[in-house]
Amino acid sequence: MKLPYSEGSVFAVPLRSGGFGIGLVARVAADDSGGVLGYFFGPRREAVPALESVSFLNPRQALRVVRFGDPFLLNGKWPILGMLKNWDRGMWPMPDFVRKDDLTKTAWRVRYSEENLTQAISEAPEPYDSVLERAAVFGAGAVELMLTKLLP
């Protein structure tokens, strides 16, 4: 199946309180699993913006960088605005994540494959109070809730 998005695609995420946040596809799982790495941005917008109005996206300004499932990109619930001009994969890195065991209060820094977003390629001890993003895969609805909380 041909996906309606690719690396560098910019999309709008409807917020549960109204308005929209912005996402950018930084990685797409090569195995057709529907896995995506996305960078997410504010501010909250009242309407779906034109691609030109968000062409300034910068990875350092992302509010969150998470792995997530793509059903809302596939079914059109999240409108795809188009491709970021001058897309350069190297400028949008795959971050490290943290896997925590809350019972033992231990944690590990996890690096995932650039091509297989579910394949951990390395793990190393990490402080339990690490500020790295959790090594989880968000559902599309969870992404909407996350952005709704971040963009009042």
Side-chain angles (χ1 to χ4, degrees):
M1 175 174 100
K2 172 88 169 109
L3 297 175
Y5 64 88
S6 61
E7 291 183 7
S9 291
V10 179
F11 57 95
V13 178
L15 305 176
R16 300 287 173 95
S17 58
F20 295 86
I22 298 298
L24 178 129
V25 174
R27 300 289 183 283
V28 177
D31 63 359
D32 294 330
S33 65
V36 179
L37 175 77
Y39 282 69
F40 293 92
F41 302 87
R44 183 180 168 281
R45 291 162 170 85
E46 291 298 322
V48 174
L51 178 62
E52 296 75 31
S53 70
V54 294
S55 62
F56 60 88
L57 295 177
N58 181 311
R60 292 179 301 281
Q61 296 170 330
L63 299 173
R64 300 283 292 274
V65 182
V66 300
R67 296 176 308 141
F68 67 96
D70 70 353
F72 291 175
L73 287 170
L74 293 176
N75 70 14
K77 184 174 180 191
W78 292 355
I80 299 170
L81 308 179
M83 287 290 295
L84 187 68
K85 291 182 182 180
N86 302 318
W87 166 251
D88 178 355
R89 186 183 215 225
M91 291 184 59
W92 299 82
M94 168 71 86
D96 289 346
F97 293 88
V98 65
R99 184 171 59 82
K100 294 183 177 184
D101 181 336
D102 294 328
L103 188 59
T104 63
K105 301 293 186 202
T106 54
W108 301 265
R109 178 180 288 253
V110 182
R111 172 149 303 202
Y112 290 95
S113 164
E114 292 275 343
E115 310 314 322
N116 181 344
L117 303 180
T118 62
Q119 180 184 7
I121 57 174
S122 69
E123 287 191 358
E126 178 76 5
Y128 184 77
D129 60 355
S130 174
V131 297
L132 293 174
E133 189 69 53
R134 285 260 186 161
V137 178
F138 283 62
V143 170
E144 290 180 352
L145 290 171
M146 172 192 72
L147 281 178
T148 297
K149 288 179 183 178
L150 290 172
L151 302 174

